[in-house]
Amino acid sequence: MKRALSFALTLLLAIALVAGCGDVKKDTGKTENTVNEAVKSEKVNPQKELTAGTVISYNNSEIVLESGGEKVKYDFAAKKTVFVEGMPKDIKEGVFVKIIRKDGENYIYVITQGRKEALEDGSTSALGILKEANDNYVVLDVNGKEERYTASGKTVMQKFSDSGKVMRYNKDKLKNGNWVRVLVDKNNEVMNIVY
């Protein structure tokens, strides 16, 4: 379990590095302490610093995301918002949106293409659209290319909305068509899925 928690921490650090800091520049000397937001109603909990998920609807300035099986609403017109990546015109059903709250401002990343990055320890972090979840593997669409990774008894999962809670891999919790992030070891085996 220690190893799984270590990999989960590595994944969160990778997310922070890929996202960069709130001022648009990457600063590899800094580590942001970000936590995901779980919102079951229309109210947004201001205590949380990170919301991320698949856009399921967008109307005017209100975004509704699906994050770990929960619906999260965010109205960026009602708050001080900076678009770090992408523009409001890029927000549409099916894209990935990440909102970071920092120092009274909200930084939005609109991600329309998947990403795959090799990490220093030989593992790989991939963000893409889930095509299939099986007991033994997951298939992601990363920029139109299908990537297949092995799932095992060592695979764990976390919600974007609750980074502190780690659970065993359960394919039934994953929804095809939603964005997920996977951390894969050198042997192509999934260590962690954030959904």
Side-chain angles (χ1 to χ4, degrees):
M1 191 63 184
K2 276 186 181 177
R3 186 171 180 207
L5 290 174
S6 172
F7 289 131
L9 180 59
T10 302
L11 180 64
L12 290 174
L13 290 173
I15 291 169
L17 287 173
V18 169
C21 296
D23 63 358
V24 185
K25 292 191 293 188
K26 273 190 184 178
D27 183 357
T28 55
K30 260 172 117 174
T31 302
E32 281 191 62
N33 179 22
T34 57
V35 288
N36 293 317
E37 179 172 78
V39 179
K40 292 182 182 175
S41 67
E42 292 186 14
K43 291 184 180 179
V44 174
N45 183 346
Q47 305 280 325
K48 303 292 183 179
E49 295 171 354
L50 175 72
T51 301
T54 306
V55 175
I56 55 174
S57 73
Y58 174 60
N59 186 11
N60 294 324
S61 61
E62 184 182 81
I63 306 168
V64 180
L65 304 176
E66 183 166 318
S67 179
E70 299 173 346
K71 290 180 176 50
V72 180
K73 291 187 181 183
Y74 176 81
D75 187 347
F76 66 80
K79 299 169 180 69
K80 190 171 180 183
T81 300
V82 175
F83 278 82
V84 178
E85 183 174 343
M87 305 290 288
K89 67 178 178 57
D90 299 323
I91 302 172
K92 59 186 176 186
E93 210 172 297
V95 301
F96 184 77
V97 168
K98 178 170 59 177
I99 303 159
I100 297 175
R101 292 169 185 81
K102 187 176 177 184
D103 301 326
E105 291 188 346
N106 299 288
Y107 299 92
I108 295 187
Y109 296 77
V110 184
I111 298 169
T112 57
Q113 293 191 332
R115 297 175 177 176
K116 191 173 171 183
E117 179 185 11
L119 304 176
E120 286 180 19
D121 65 357
S123 60
T124 301
S125 173
L127 175 68
I129 299 168
L130 182 71
K131 301 302 265 179
E132 184 182 352
N134 189 296
D135 286 329
N136 302 316
Y137 62 86
V138 294
V139 179
L140 268 64
D141 178 332
V142 181
N143 292 336
K145 184 180 176 192
E146 286 196 357
E147 302 276 345
R148 182 176 168 138
Y149 302 109
T150 304
S152 72
K154 296 177 185 175
T155 303
V156 295
M157 298 170 50
Q158 293 168 278
K159 294 182 178 185
F160 283 115
S161 58
D162 188 1
S163 64
K165 185 178 178 185
V166 179
M167 63 197 91
R168 286 189 182 274
Y169 172 67
N170 180 349
K171 67 178 172 51
D172 297 328
K173 297 274 186 186
L174 302 174
K175 184 176 175 184
N176 291 351
N178 278 0
W179 288 76
V180 297
R181 184 179 296 278
V182 296
L183 182 64
V184 183
D185 69 13
K186 304 181 233 192
N187 302 318
N188 209 39
E189 187 172 303
V190 180
M191 296 179 285
N192 191 308
I193 302 174
V194 185
Y195 71 103

